[in-house]
């Protein structure tokens, strides 16, 4: 697992290690968060599942922006693991 709170570093990490899944802790409709989702989808990483951690009011918004699954905060860690597993089994 790798962590970054810098958007450019996130793309560098994705390019370097090509993770099995990307988990993004989204702030309330942060333009930078939307940009990183777009970058992942538009570049050669569209096959990497993206899980967004968001507030209840933003759930549908982020699904429409290209994330594969959206977990509403707060959530149980078991739910995160189940979501990761279901995406990796595809």
């Amino acid at each position: 697992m790798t962590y970054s709170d810098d958007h450019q570093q996130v793309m560098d990490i994705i390019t370097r290690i090509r993770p099995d899944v990307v988990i993004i802790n989204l702030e309330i409709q942060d333009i930078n968060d939307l940009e990183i989702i777009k970058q992942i989808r538009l570049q050669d990483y569209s096959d990497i599942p993206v899980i967004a951690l968001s507030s209840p009011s933003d759930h549908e918004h982020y699904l429409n922006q290209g994330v594969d699954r959206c977990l509403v905060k707060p959530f149980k860690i078991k739910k995160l693991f189940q979501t990761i597993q279901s995406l990796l089994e595809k």
Side-chain angles (χ1 to χ4, degrees):
M1 178 168 32
T2 304
Y3 167 83
S4 176
D5 58 3
D6 175 83
H7 289 90
Q8 183 55 51
Q9 189 177 30
V10 168
M11 289 310 299
D12 293 345
I13 291 167
I14 290 172
T15 301
R16 191 175 68 248
I17 67 171
R18 194 167 184 87
D20 294 326
V21 66
V22 173
I23 302 169
I24 300 176
N25 183 22
L26 298 170
E27 300 301 322
I28 298 174
Q29 298 197 7
D30 184 333
I31 286 297
N32 292 326
D33 291 333
L34 294 177
E35 189 58 37
I36 196 74
I37 293 167
K38 287 179 189 174
Q39 287 180 16
I40 291 169
R41 291 300 176 227
L42 292 175
Q43 294 186 17
D44 197 25
Y45 313 112
S46 61
D47 61 320
I48 297 174
V50 176
I51 300 171
L53 310 178
S54 73
S55 66
S57 62
D58 296 328
H59 182 83
E60 287 299 320
H61 174 73
Y62 288 118
L63 289 172
N64 292 331
Q65 296 299 316
V67 299
D68 295 284
R69 297 285 192 287
C70 199
L71 295 180
V72 176
K73 297 185 269 186
F75 58 88
K76 298 202 181 285
I77 195 71
K78 182 178 180 179
K79 179 67 175 168
L80 176 61
F81 290 144
Q82 289 170 337
T83 302
I84 293 169
Q85 184 176 13
S86 73
L87 288 170
L88 293 178
E89 289 175 348
K90 283 186 168 183

